[in-house]
């Protein structure tokens, strides 16, 4: 699946497109995920640290890639403007979020005091 999608992956063109994609990543990480975490966990017995950690962690992956691949091809075939940008932006979001969360999961968990001692 990933190899097929990669063959259709155009280079993410000029800097404005890259800046827009990075803006999307920032919005997903700093606004969308924390808001969804709050809405889905309010009324639970989670501590503030646990809620914040849930609000922080949300790497994208195979589902995002498969969805973007499927829809971008279909939308491009119908001549929908901007459809060719869906796949490269999705892959940028995947790489950025996996890298960001992978590098910060342990330090953030420690800072929020949600790390359990190894058993």
């Amino acid at each position: 699946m990933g190899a097929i999608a990669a063959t259709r992956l155009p280079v993410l063109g000029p800097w404005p497109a890259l800046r827009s994609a990075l803006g999307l990543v920032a919005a997903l990480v700093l606004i969308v995920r924390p808001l969804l975490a709050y809405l889905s966990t309010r009324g639970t017995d989670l501590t503030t640290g646990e809620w914040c950690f849930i609000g922080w962690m949300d790497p994208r992956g195979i589902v995002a890639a498969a969805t973007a691949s499927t829809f971008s091809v279909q939308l491009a075939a119908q001549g929908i403007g901007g459809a060719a940008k869906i796949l490269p932006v999705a892959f940028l979001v995947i790489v950025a979020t996996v890298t960001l969360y992978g590098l910060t999961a342990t330090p953030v968990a420690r800072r929020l005091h949600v790390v359990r001692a190894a058993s």
Side-chain angles (χ1 to χ4, degrees):
M1 167 59 196
I4 294 169
T7 61
R8 291 183 271 175
L9 185 63
V11 175
L12 192 59
W15 287 108
L18 182 59
R19 280 197 316 265
S20 296
L22 292 175
L24 174 63
V25 170
L28 290 170
V29 169
L30 301 173
I31 299 167
V32 175
R33 177 58 185 180
L35 179 62
L36 291 176
Y38 169 75
L39 293 174
S40 64
T41 60
R42 67 182 176 178
T44 66
D45 60 350
L46 291 176
T47 66
T48 301
E50 291 167 337
W51 174 83
C52 288
F53 190 71
I54 291 169
W56 178 244
M57 294 301 297
D58 189 28
R60 279 31 176 220
I62 190 65
V63 174
T67 303
S69 179
T70 300
F71 284 106
S72 67
V73 170
Q74 292 174 358
L75 293 172
Q78 294 176 13
I80 304 295
K85 295 178 183 177
I86 292 173
L87 197 56
V89 169
F91 274 92
L92 179 71
V93 168
I94 292 166
V95 169
T97 59
V98 168
T99 302
L100 177 67
Y101 295 130
L103 293 173
T104 63
T106 300
V108 168
R110 286 187 183 131
R111 184 171 195 134
L112 295 173
H113 307 289
V114 295
V115 178
R116 292 185 185 171
S119 39

